[in-house]
């Protein structure tokens, strides 16, 4: 078979991977205050291997920053991803903030001068609330045809979704490392950063299925545009005299429409920022 320009176009457009990515790029570009990098290489801080990210997006308010490590996965509507989960437990109602500092600070028993960072944990988070649905498992559906042409559905390996998941986590880890120096880069005494890994799939390709505590399905599967998934991914980032522990508590699965709506709300709603960055009295230092 001879490969022609039309053959190449039919295959590439039919898969639509780059088109999916460009639609997400357009959403980010329409957010006036968003800083975005589309594509780039970095070294995975866990494996030491070179990787490529899709998007890194940052929105800021004063000395606060929400940083998104976004990976795009173009799934067919006929082979959707299903997030299975339960009600979030009290131990899962948290997120963490990296507080970067630059200057001279007096702490109990020590004086710190220069740039360094500490981690704060927001417990009883109003972003990840107790009792809300939270993802725990991923299932990918695939159509199956028998020899008579009849079609049914079965589960498929979720390698595509898992790849997007792991790339988003790896890119988020790299952003966390950058966040430890954000006060120095911004020439401020304090800078507070939250980093969120995100996987964006096409509209109508994300479903959720809720279980109860006994492992019984209590409701019908339904489509969703936005679903947090609990990962509890522990990391080590540069602290004062040694590495400090930091945790990415959740990864967010979104459709294109869900990502657009979420990003718009992050840009516009002050209440959302206050929920992500509560007063220091509501956080706990991590050592």
């Amino acid at each position: 078979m001879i490969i022609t320009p039309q053959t190449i176009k039919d295959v590439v457009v039919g898969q639509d991977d780059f088109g999916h990515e460009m639609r997400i790029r357009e959403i980010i570009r329409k957010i006036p205050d968003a800083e975005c990098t589309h594509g780039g290489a970095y070294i995975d801080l866990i494996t030491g291997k070179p990787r490529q990210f899709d998007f890194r997006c940052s929105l800021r308010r004063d000395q606060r920053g929400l940083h998104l490590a976004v990976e795009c996965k173009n799934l067919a509507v006929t082979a959707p991803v299903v997030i299975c989960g339960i009600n979030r437990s009290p131990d899962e109602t948290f997120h963490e903030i990296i507080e970067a500092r630059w200057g001279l600070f007096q702490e109990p028993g020590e004086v710190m001068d220069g740039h360094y960072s500490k981690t704060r944990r927001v417990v009883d988070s109003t972003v990840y609330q107790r009792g809300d649905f939270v993802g725990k498992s991923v299932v990918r559906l695939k159509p199956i045809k028998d020899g008579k042409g009849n079609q049914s559905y079965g589960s498929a390996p979720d390698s595509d979704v898992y790849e997007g998941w792991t790339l988003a986590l790896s890119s988020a880890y790299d952003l966390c490392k950058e966040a430890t120096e954000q006060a120095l880069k911004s020439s401020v005494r304090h800078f507070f950063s939250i980093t969120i890994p995100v996987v964006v799939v096409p509209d109508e390709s994300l479903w959720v299925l809720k279980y109860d505590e006994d492992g019984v399905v209590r409701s019908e599967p339904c489509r969703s545009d936005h679903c947090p998934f609990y990962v509890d991914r522990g990391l080590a980032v540069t602290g004062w005299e040694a590495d400090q522990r930091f945790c990415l508590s959740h990864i967010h699965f979104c459709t294109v429409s869900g990502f657009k709506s979420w990003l718009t709300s992050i840009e516009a709603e002050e209440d959302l920022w206050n929920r992500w960055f509560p007063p220091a009295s509501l956080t706990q230092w991590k050592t």
Side-chain angles (χ1 to χ4, degrees):
M1 180 177 179
I2 299 174
I3 296 178
T4 66
Q6 187 62 45
T7 303
I8 295 173
K9 181 179 178 180
D10 290 344
V11 171
V12 173
V13 174
Q15 293 178 348
D16 199 33
D17 292 344
F18 189 65
H20 175 60
E21 192 172 311
M22 291 300 290
R23 286 187 284 276
I24 296 168
R25 177 175 178 264
E26 186 63 17
I27 289 171
I28 299 173
R29 287 182 62 187
K30 288 183 177 180
I31 302 298
D33 297 327
E35 298 178 5
C36 178
T37 302
H38 181 192
Y42 67 101
I43 301 298
D44 188 315
L45 298 177
I46 297 176
T47 65
K49 297 180 179 180
R51 292 189 180 275
Q52 187 87 10
F53 65 81
D54 287 341
F55 296 97
R56 288 179 174 177
C57 174
S58 294
L59 293 97
R60 299 182 181 183
R61 289 282 178 90
D62 304 318
Q63 296 171 6
R64 301 168 294 173
L66 275 171
H67 312 292
L68 309 180
V70 182
E71 293 298 321
C72 311
K73 279 298 162 187
N74 183 36
L75 309 180
V77 175
T78 55
V81 60
V82 181
I83 306 293
C84 303
I86 57 176
N87 291 336
R88 185 180 287 108
S89 71
D91 293 340
E92 298 164 351
T93 60
F94 73 93
H95 65 274
E96 295 192 345
I97 301 171
I98 291 178
E99 179 188 346
R101 293 181 173 186
W102 180 48
L104 180 65
F105 291 86
Q106 178 74 48
E107 294 284 349
E110 60 182 339
V111 175
M112 292 174 282
D113 188 13
H115 71 88
Y116 60 99
S117 66
K118 287 191 171 186
T119 298
R120 292 182 180 270
R121 172 167 288 201
V122 181
V123 295
D124 297 325
S125 168
T126 58
V127 177
Y128 302 118
Q129 297 188 53
R130 177 179 180 177
D132 285 354
F133 179 86
V134 63
K136 292 286 188 174
S137 176
V138 177
V139 177
R140 181 84 183 279
L141 298 189
K142 67 173 180 179
I144 300 173
K145 289 186 178 180
D146 61 21
K148 299 179 181 179
N150 299 315
Q151 181 172 295
S152 61
Y153 277 88
S155 61
D158 62 345
S159 57
D160 287 344
V161 178
Y162 183 74
E163 180 187 25
W165 174 353
T166 55
L167 286 174
L169 286 172
S170 295
S171 182
Y173 190 6
D174 203 46
L175 287 176
C176 289
K177 182 175 181 295
E178 293 180 7
T180 64
E181 301 180 350
Q182 195 62 58
L184 174 64
K185 293 177 181 177
S186 302
S187 298
V188 295
R189 281 177 61 80
H190 300 267
F191 197 94
F192 302 89
S193 295
I194 292 172
T195 301
I196 309 168
V198 184
V199 176
V200 185
V201 299
D203 288 348
E204 301 186 358
S205 64
L206 178 63
W207 292 69
V208 297
L209 179 61
K210 184 177 179 179
Y211 285 76
D212 66 14
E213 294 297 329
D214 296 322
V216 178
V217 175
R218 294 300 185 186
S219 60
E220 292 296 314
C222 60
R223 285 195 175 98
S224 177
D225 282 331
H226 189 171
C227 179
F229 189 100
Y230 185 68
V231 290
D232 192 23
R233 180 66 175 269
L235 313 169
V237 292
T238 303
W240 172 234
E241 293 181 342
D243 283 348
Q244 66 194 46
R245 300 301 298 171
F246 178 80
C247 181
L248 295 167
S249 60
H250 293 74
I251 187 170
H252 289 232
F253 286 89
C254 303
T255 62
V256 174
S257 295
F259 181 67
K260 179 180 180 180
S261 176
W262 186 43
L263 205 59
T264 300
S265 66
I266 290 174
E267 194 271 337
E269 297 177 17
E270 184 64 29
D271 179 64
L272 187 147
W273 284 84
N274 293 333
R275 292 170 61 202
W276 280 111
F277 298 91
S281 60
L282 299 181
T283 67
Q284 297 178 349
W285 286 116
K286 288 188 69 179
T287 57

